[in-house]
């Protein structure tokens, strides 16, 4: 085998790792000194002009969040107090496809919410899945590249996808979800949304909790089969955008029930698996769903480009009562999302009407292209001229103590920090017979693409056998039946 070259930074310096970001202990937050992961994210955010690098194809609408239950014991955030009503924008999208791609392609769906609160914008950047393919942002750019187009022929290539997935066992849970019929939802109105990441809530007394967001569709979950999705891609590639627009236009306003799972702060340390791992879900038996309200979409945008294409969501937009967790993917996105917006739509993207908060802005950020509302003097802080000053008291409660060796490492400190238990439970306990049959059909169809090599199909079978022997055997049989001359061994 030819000796492989060593990965380097763009300056030609040997890369410290292509898989792990530098963190405080295996489960701790990331460090700004990890210049390599920052370089990878910053470079990746500037790869496309001007459409989004990911989530390019999508649509959205305005609505209102209404909180019906008292959760003040968990958070002091104003928008989550009982009786509060908050205007919002929801954008839904595919992930990997370009602007002209079909809405019904097999793909996760973005589910991004912007709440225009009295305390500033609060954004939740999630998906229609509670998990993701990877748990460390060091691998995010490479993952997306594997879903995009080849360098030589500019074609998408299923072989690249399976190559990345089969070399990244942490992807098993999300790929399992993707290969069910939930990978091809009927439309946006009939799918759930999730905040996916773990966040921290803290109340007025400074008590802390870990929380996950769930947005359960009130229309019921409905999906296409693989064949139905392919047919709709040919009939109407803009089906999801059209469906949402027409439903709202006709007065059929879709809604979602808002639920949360809450974990007491101290329980995270010795929970049976790392609760900040984005490839895992929290079992409902351990942390039951708590209904706190609902939101309804009731108004279409008037100008798609101005209000949807230029909308900018970023998980770093958090109001008092809400803070980040040590989730490594969340930590990476805190930087990556706003950095992308500065490149894609300009440094002053928050002055655009769709992104501008409803609350007053008193910022010392100045100038730059397209700035139209520049603050006057004083232009710096601290100052003795009556300028705006920070109020640390608003954020009392978000801090907590961490200690650990600086490492590059996967999580392995908890009893059940493995990659296959949860997708195995999905196959054994969640899916019905029809769901399992369709999942095998979807996997076989994806892995039977002409560009997927015989060697890769063998790895595909092993990937699914690691999850469940029966699943792997059924995939092997399907690939043998569909493939050229029975080239999948060990069926």
């Amino acid at each position: 085998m030819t000796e492989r070259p060593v990965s380097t930074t763009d300056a030609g310096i040997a890369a410290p790792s292509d898989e792990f970001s530098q963190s405080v202990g295996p489960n701790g937050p990331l460090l700004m000194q990890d210049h390599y992961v920052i370089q990878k994210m910053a470079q990746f955010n500037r790869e496309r002009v001007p459409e989004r690098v990911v989530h390019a194809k999508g649509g959205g609408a305005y609505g209102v969040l209404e909180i019906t239950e008292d959760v003040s014991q968990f958070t002091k955030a104003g928008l989550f107090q009982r009786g509060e009503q908050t205007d919002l924008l929801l954008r839904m999208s595919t992930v990997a496809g370009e602007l002209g791609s079909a809405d019904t392609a097999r793909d996760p769906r973005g589910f991004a919410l912007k709440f225009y609160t009295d305390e500033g914008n609060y954004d939740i950047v999630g998906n229609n899945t509670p998990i993701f393919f990877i748990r460390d942002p060091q691998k995010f750019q490479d993952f997306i590249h594997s879903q995009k187009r080849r360098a030589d022929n500019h074609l998408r290539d299923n072989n690249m996808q399976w190559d990345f997935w089969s070399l990244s066992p942490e992807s098993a849970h999300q790929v399992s979800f993707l290969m069910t019929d939930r990978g091809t939802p009927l439309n946006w109105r009939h799918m759930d949304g999730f905040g996916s990441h773990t966040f921290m809530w803290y109340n007025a007394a400074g008590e802390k909790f870990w929380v996950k967001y769930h947005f359960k569709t009130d229309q019921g979950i409905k999906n296409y089969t693989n064949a139905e999705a392919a047919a709709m891609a040919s009939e109407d590639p803009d089906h999801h955008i059209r469906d949402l627009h027409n439903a709202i236009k006709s007065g059929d306003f879709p809604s979602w029930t808002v639920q949360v799972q809450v974990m007491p702060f101290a329980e995270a340390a010795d929970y049976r698996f790392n609760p900040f791992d984005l490839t895992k879900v929290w079992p409902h038996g351990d942390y039951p769903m708590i209904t706190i309200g609902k939101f309804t979409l009731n108004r279409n945008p008037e100008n798609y480009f101005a209000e949807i294409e230029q909308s900018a969501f970023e998980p770093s937009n958090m109001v008092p009562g809400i803070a980040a967790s040590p989730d490594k993917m969340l930590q990476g996105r805190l930087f990556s999302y706003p950095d992308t917006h500065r490149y894609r739509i300009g440094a002053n993207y928050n002055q655009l009407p769709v992104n501008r908060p409803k609350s007053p802005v008193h910022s010392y950020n100045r100038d730059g292209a397209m700035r139209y509302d520049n603050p006057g003097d004083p232009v710096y802080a601290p100052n003795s001229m009556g300028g705006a000053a920070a109020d640390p008291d608003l954020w009392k409660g978000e801090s907590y103590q961490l200690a650990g060796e600086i490492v590059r490492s996967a999580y392995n400190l908890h009893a059940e920090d493995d990659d296959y238990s949860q997708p195995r439970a999905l196959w054994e306990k969640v899916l019905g017979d029809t769901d399992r049959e369709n999942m095998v059909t979807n996997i076989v169809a994806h892995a039977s693409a002409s560009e997927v090599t015989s060697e890769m199909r063998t790895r595909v079978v092993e990937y699914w056998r690691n999850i469940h022997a029966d699943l792997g055997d059924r995939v092997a049989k399907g690939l043998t039946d569909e493939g050229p001359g029975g080239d999948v061994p060990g069926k």
Side-chain angles (χ1 to χ4, degrees):
M1 179 180 293
T2 303
E3 185 174 346
R4 299 175 63 172
V6 175
S7 300
T8 73
T9 70
D10 288 345
I13 302 166
S17 174
D18 281 317
E19 293 193 81
F20 303 123
S21 302
Q22 202 171 46
S23 61
V24 181
N27 296 340
L30 307 186
L31 301 179
M32 284 296 293
Q33 71 184 38
D34 189 355
H35 60 90
Y36 185 53
V37 71
I38 289 176
Q39 180 195 82
K40 289 179 72 175
M41 289 190 291
Q43 174 68 27
F44 178 75
N45 291 341
R46 290 161 173 79
E47 284 188 0
R48 299 289 186 273
V49 180
E51 71 177 38
R52 288 169 169 87
V53 180
V54 291
H55 300 279
K57 177 71 180 295
Y62 297 96
V64 62
L65 167 71
E66 181 178 4
I67 300 300
T68 57
E69 307 301 325
D70 182 13
V71 291
S72 60
Q73 71 271 34
F74 301 127
T75 180
K76 67 176 185 178
L79 81 160
F80 291 130
Q81 303 310 303
R82 183 162 58 185
E84 283 295 313
Q85 295 190 13
T86 305
D87 292 336
L88 64 88
L89 172 69
L90 171 62
R91 184 179 186 269
M92 293 171 281
S93 58
T94 51
V95 175
E98 298 91 354
L99 277 172
S101 59
D103 285 351
T104 55
R106 182 167 304 281
D107 207 1
R109 297 311 189 273
F111 200 95
L113 287 154
K114 182 181 292 294
F115 300 98
Y116 302 97
T117 87
D118 295 337
E119 300 174 293
N121 290 348
Y122 175 46
D123 294 354
I124 298 176
V125 183
N127 286 314
N128 72 327
T129 63
I131 68 275
F132 197 60
F133 298 90
I134 54 177
R135 60 172 69 97
D136 192 307
Q138 189 72 259
K139 298 179 75 170
F140 180 74
Q141 296 72 224
D142 302 298
F143 160 65
I144 293 297
H145 286 163
S146 76
Q147 313 299 299
K148 291 288 189 177
R149 296 179 180 273
R150 290 176 58 96
D152 51 2
N153 58 22
H154 197 58
L155 295 175
R156 295 184 69 179
D157 187 323
N158 288 9
N159 199 70
M160 293 197 308
Q161 296 184 38
W162 288 110
D163 189 30
F164 182 90
W165 289 339
S166 62
L167 294 174
S168 304
E170 71 269 29
S171 69
H173 198 182
Q174 174 74 309
V175 177
S176 296
F177 193 106
L178 178 64
M179 290 298 162
T180 71
D181 287 343
R182 290 205 184 190
T184 49
L186 180 71
N187 53 55
W188 292 327
R189 295 180 297 123
H190 289 91
M191 71 180 192
D192 289 344
F194 301 87
S196 303
H197 298 289
T198 300
F199 298 90
M200 188 170 76
W201 276 4
Y202 54 97
N203 62 23
E207 297 173 298
K208 302 172 183 63
F209 306 86
W210 304 114
V211 64
K212 281 186 175 289
Y213 296 107
H214 301 252
F215 309 106
K216 311 298 287 186
T217 174
D218 295 328
Q219 292 70 236
I221 292 175
K222 296 182 180 179
N223 303 305
Y224 282 129
T225 64
N226 196 53
E228 292 168 340
M232 182 54 70
S234 176
E235 178 182 336
D236 182 7
D238 301 318
H239 172 61
H240 289 177
I241 297 176
R242 192 183 316 279
D243 173 84
L244 180 65
H245 178 88
N246 289 343
I248 294 174
K249 184 178 180 180
S250 68
D252 182 12
F253 300 147
S255 64
W256 285 259
T257 296
V258 180
Q259 298 180 322
V260 293
Q261 290 177 282
V262 178
M263 175 187 291
F265 181 86
E267 292 186 13
D270 57 359
Y271 188 58
R272 50 199 174 94
F273 60 81
N274 182 356
F276 310 118
D277 183 346
L278 187 55
T279 69
K280 302 286 197 302
V281 297
W282 294 357
H284 294 181
D286 292 349
Y287 301 102
M289 304 286 275
I290 302 172
T291 297
I292 67 172
K294 72 185 303 179
F295 71 82
T296 304
L297 300 182
N298 55 23
R299 179 166 65 90
N300 282 316
E302 296 180 3
N303 184 307
Y304 180 91
F305 179 81
E307 300 170 69
I308 302 301
E309 188 63 17
Q310 293 195 120
S311 61
F313 303 85
E314 51 200 80
S316 52
N317 282 346
M318 289 179 280
V319 297
I322 304 168
S325 79
D327 177 343
K328 290 187 178 182
M329 284 299 297
L330 174 60
Q331 293 271 319
R333 283 170 168 160
L334 297 178
F335 164 80
S336 184
Y337 276 67
D339 187 57
T340 300
H341 305 327
R342 294 182 192 104
Y343 168 70
R344 193 176 70 88
I345 48 181
N348 292 306
Y349 63 93
N350 274 320
Q351 291 200 331
L352 294 170
V354 69
N355 300 322
R356 191 173 180 86
K358 303 292 177 67
S359 58
V361 175
H362 303 291
S363 170
Y364 289 99
N365 292 327
R366 303 179 57 81
D367 303 341
M370 306 300 289
R371 187 91 190 190
Y372 71 87
D373 186 12
N374 232 16
D377 289 323
V379 297
Y380 56 88
N383 63 75
S384 58
M385 301 178 184
D391 183 359
D393 287 344
L394 290 174
W395 300 96
K396 281 186 176 178
E398 71 164 351
S399 62
Y400 57 96
Q401 186 171 352
L402 290 171
E405 183 182 4
I406 294 176
V407 299
R408 297 182 186 275
S409 172
Y411 312 130
N412 58 2
L413 301 180
H414 300 247
E416 296 181 19
D417 276 340
D418 73 287
D419 294 318
Y420 299 118
S421 295
Q422 290 202 356
R424 186 175 299 121
L426 176 69
W427 173 260
E428 290 180 339
K429 301 176 181 179
V430 178
L431 301 180
D433 290 341
T434 299
D435 297 321
R436 284 192 284 266
E437 181 178 344
N438 288 354
M439 180 178 175
V440 172
T441 298
N442 298 337
I443 295 168
V444 170
H446 195 279
S448 294
S450 59
E451 66 271 16
V452 180
T453 65
S454 174
E455 186 273 337
M456 188 61 66
R457 292 181 188 183
T458 300
R459 285 165 55 183
V460 168
V461 170
E462 186 63 22
Y463 181 85
W464 294 108
R465 281 184 175 144
N466 285 333
I467 296 171
H468 197 282
D470 178 53
L471 172 56
D473 289 347
R474 290 166 69 170
V475 170
K477 182 179 186 307
L479 288 175
T480 300
D481 293 343
E482 294 292 329
D487 57 358
V488 178
K491 67 173 182 175

